[in-house]
Amino acid sequence: MTQQPNWSPRFESGLHPHIARFNASINFDIELIEYDITGSQAHAKMLAHTGIISESEGEQLVSGLEQIRQEYRSGNFTPGVDAEDVHFAVERRLTEITGDVGKKLHTARSRNDQVGTDTRLYLRAQIEQIQRQIREFQSVLLDIAEQNVETLIPGYTHLQRAQPLSLAHHLLAYFQMLERDCQRLSDVRRRVNISPLGCGALAGTTFPIDRHYTAELLHFDAVYENSLDGVSDRDFAIEFTCAASLIMVHLSRLAEEVIFWASQEFGFVTLLDSCATGSSIMPQKKNPDVPELVRGKTGRVFGHLQALLVMMKGLPLAYNKDLQEDKEGLFDSVKTVTACLESMTILLRSGLQFRTHRLADAVCEDFSNATDVADYLATKGVPFREAYNLVGKVVKTCIATNKLLKDLTLEEWKQLHPAFEADIYQAINPLQVVAARNSYGGTGFTQVREALKNARAILNLPTK
Ligand code: ARG
């Protein structure tokens, strides 16, 4: 039989060893230890502040908890399964350090409001860290974009050549996705940053506690209004995992593009040795493992979101042990998003190079300027649909005769429609094709330069 944590004398014998392991969360919730200590210190200060314990008892609890923090940091505190969870582990050690005073820490508190407090403090810190990483990643995207305003890249719809783009415009699309991610995290943070401490097991407490005092000490913005809701709400964890899933969606879309850009068929980027791997058998290979892993890891974050939703569905009020299952998925989501953001930042900053000559050739070898021929005619008064049909026929003839639009002679253009003049060649030149898309938010260079300015402002960088 395994030693019981702290159960009351109504228990006569210990847990079956298998059940002790099954029940325990210490192996993973040890991740919360520093937040548990901080939360307990605030609780101890509140107990002293309200006179529930004496000032000196409060001080002993706070310094005993600080000692545990140092012991943990120096590797001298490694509680095992017999402690069941991090909360019991810390309380037990505190009682070893401070004697009977330690036994007062849990006055007016339950592990139910405690674990909710810890998880929120943890997530708040992680959100701030992820937001810093997003900013870093955005600044790398911005750097590359600033150097590539007039670098052209084929733009696709349905993965078919559509219209050429400024490479900067393409990268700024990801900048914007990440911007929404950052804002979404700020929004999630507002609901993470609410204190359940003092909700007790489910119904509040008979002691004259001060929940606003602990909330203030822990820099929470507000307290839960309803104790049952406070101990059993995991919306904040679901919302975070949803925001994390969207970050992964964005990273994996870029990862996918990098993967095919690096293929021989596209050849738009070269992978540098620092971020590429070889094959154990094919000596010529250089593989894009980094973006592939990012793409591959995306699914596990989606899985955690699904697991959390299913865990909560149909759960009666208030705390149920099911809720212990919220942590591993949450921690793994944080770790996955963090690792992927970091790796993609390194990949873009120093692990790949755009092959600008190849890109320049690419935009000249297709019909992605066909819309511009139709627009040319429409500007000269031909109704757009008519112009569109005419250009469709031209493209068909060009394909049959193995020509591109730029290969047609002025005479041929004029035979197609009398409105064509010599300036058609300028209109279908890829640089002009891109420059001309000067509508707000478009890929025209003037627009892109504006967008770059705005992006710099978002990152609080000085204007160039
Ligand atoms: N280890 C538990 C968890 O993670 C702490 C709360 C336990 N509460 C309880 N009533 N058994 O959820």
Side-chain angles (χ1 to χ4, degrees):
M1 297 293 128
T2 304
Q3 192 201 332
Q4 280 298 332
N6 266 342
W7 304 142
S8 74
R10 77 163 282 180
F11 283 85
E12 284 172 6
S13 65
L15 277 176
H16 184 288
H18 176 87
I19 299 301
R21 276 197 302 278
F22 184 65
N23 196 41
S25 51
I26 186 78
N27 288 336
F28 50 87
D29 66 16
I30 190 73
E31 181 97 32
L32 296 176
I33 187 164
E34 298 238 8
Y35 306 98
D36 192 75
I37 289 170
T38 304
S40 288
Q41 286 175 324
H43 180 67
K45 284 181 192 165
M46 183 280 293
L47 290 177
H49 173 75
T50 52
I52 297 169
I53 61 173
S54 72
E55 283 294 335
S56 124
E57 286 171 332
E59 280 160 20
Q60 289 175 63
L61 292 176
V62 171
S63 66
L65 286 161
E66 202 50 37
Q67 181 180 328
I68 300 174
R69 193 195 298 280
Q70 299 316 325
E71 289 175 0
Y72 175 73
R73 286 188 183 169
S74 56
N76 296 322
F77 181 55
T78 51
V81 157
D82 57 316
E84 188 179 317
D85 61 20
V86 66
H87 324 294
F88 273 144
V90 170
E91 189 183 334
R92 195 170 69 185
R93 179 73 192 120
L94 184 65
T95 306
E96 284 167 14
I97 296 171
T98 62
D100 281 350
V101 180
K103 296 180 186 167
K104 294 199 172 182
L105 175 67
H106 213 53
T107 315
R109 188 177 67 167
S110 156
R111 280 184 301 158
N112 298 351
D113 55 344
Q114 187 178 356
V115 71
T117 305
D118 296 3
T119 312
R120 285 168 180 81
L121 292 176
Y122 159 85
L123 203 50
R124 186 179 70 192
Q126 305 309 315
I127 285 174
E128 286 162 7
Q129 167 62 20
I130 293 170
Q131 286 184 310
R132 281 192 289 274
Q133 284 189 299
I134 290 178
R135 289 291 181 235
E136 186 65 30
F137 186 52
Q138 284 179 307
S139 79
V140 172
L141 287 170
L142 180 56
D143 271 354
I144 308 174
E146 279 175 338
Q147 290 157 30
N148 288 285
V149 174
E150 297 199 7
T151 305
L152 305 190
I153 184 170
Y156 297 80
T157 64
H158 312 268
L159 205 55
Q160 303 288 324
R161 293 278 178 98
Q163 290 165 353
L165 299 169
S166 151
L167 175 55
H169 193 57
H170 194 115
L171 295 172
L172 286 177
Y174 286 101
F175 183 100
Q176 290 295 336
M177 293 178 222
L178 270 298
E179 183 52 30
R180 286 196 295 279
D181 289 326
C182 201
Q183 289 174 13
R184 205 171 350 259
L185 285 174
S186 294
D187 190 43
V188 172
R189 188 190 184 283
R190 293 197 295 126
R191 282 175 297 280
V192 168
N193 206 28
I194 299 176
S195 173
L197 193 56
C199 287
L202 74 167
T205 171
T206 56
F207 290 93
I209 58 167
D210 186 344
R211 291 188 56 206
H212 295 93
Y213 185 78
T214 45
E216 209 175 299
L217 286 178
L218 295 169
H219 307 294
F220 281 116
D221 296 324
V223 300
Y224 272 86
E225 292 298 324
N226 179 295
S227 62
L228 286 171
D229 183 35
V231 289
S232 62
D233 172 34
R234 293 294 182 274
D235 292 0
F236 70 96
I238 294 175
E239 282 190 55
F240 169 79
T241 315
C242 186
S245 294
L246 280 169
I247 296 174
M248 293 305 297
V249 168
H250 300 148
L251 292 183
S252 79
R253 291 184 76 177
L254 178 56
E256 171 69 8
E257 296 208 294
V258 170
I259 291 164
F260 61 65
W261 285 344
S263 69
Q264 192 171 339
E265 285 70 13
F266 276 80
F268 292 174
V269 298
T270 304
L271 291 175
L272 302 181
D273 291 359
S274 63
C275 285
T277 52
S279 152
S280 61
I281 172 170
M282 295 169 283
Q284 84 284 12
K285 289 294 290 292
K286 206 167 186 191
N287 294 330
D289 286 23
V290 174
E292 286 175 308
L293 277 171
V294 169
R295 189 177 58 182
K297 283 175 189 288
T298 299
R300 60 201 273 173
V301 181
F302 296 179
H304 298 319
L305 173 61
Q306 177 72 357
L308 279 173
L309 285 167
V310 176
M311 180 193 79
M312 289 306 289
K313 170 196 166 296
L315 206 62
L317 292 179
Y319 179 87
N320 299 269
K321 190 77 169 198
D322 314 42
L323 292 176
Q324 180 163 287
E325 287 293 306
D326 64 355
K327 286 170 210 57
E328 287 161 290
L330 194 60
F331 298 164
D332 187 66
S333 298
V334 166
K335 280 178 195 146
T336 305
V337 165
T338 302
C340 289
L341 273 169
E342 190 172 30
S343 303
M344 286 299 278
T345 303
I346 294 171
L347 177 69
L348 281 237
R349 182 191 288 133
S350 60
L352 61 76
Q353 256 163 14
F354 282 93
R355 299 176 64 201
T356 44
H357 288 298
R358 166 79 194 115
L359 288 169
D361 290 347
V363 292
C364 292
E365 64 198 21
D366 59 26
F367 291 95
S368 59
N369 48 5
T371 317
D372 299 80
V373 180
D375 287 355
Y376 178 95
L377 287 178
T379 314
K380 302 212 165 183
V382 181
F384 179 79
R385 186 56 62 211
E386 209 177 289
Y388 163 92
N389 285 328
L390 185 130
V391 181
K393 275 185 221 144
V394 179
V395 169
K396 190 175 171 189
T397 320
C398 280
I399 291 170
T401 53
N402 208 15
K403 280 184 182 169
L404 291 168
L405 292 172
K406 65 175 178 195
D407 301 327
L408 298 178
T409 62
L410 188 54
E411 221 157 88
E412 286 172 312
W413 282 116
K414 281 189 176 297
Q415 272 164 22
L416 291 162
H417 199 287
F420 285 116
E421 311 274 353
D423 59 354
I424 181 64
Y425 294 103
Q426 162 69 0
I428 61 172
N429 176 294
L431 269 173
Q432 173 58 23
V433 166
V434 174
R437 288 193 162 62
N438 199 25
S439 53
Y440 188 87
T443 192
F445 302 125
T446 313
Q447 291 299 317
V448 170
R449 290 202 174 89
E450 272 309 301
L452 287 170
K453 260 193 235 161
N454 294 339
R456 287 188 80 81
I458 287 172
L459 298 185
N460 286 321
L461 297 170
T463 38
K464 274 201 166 173

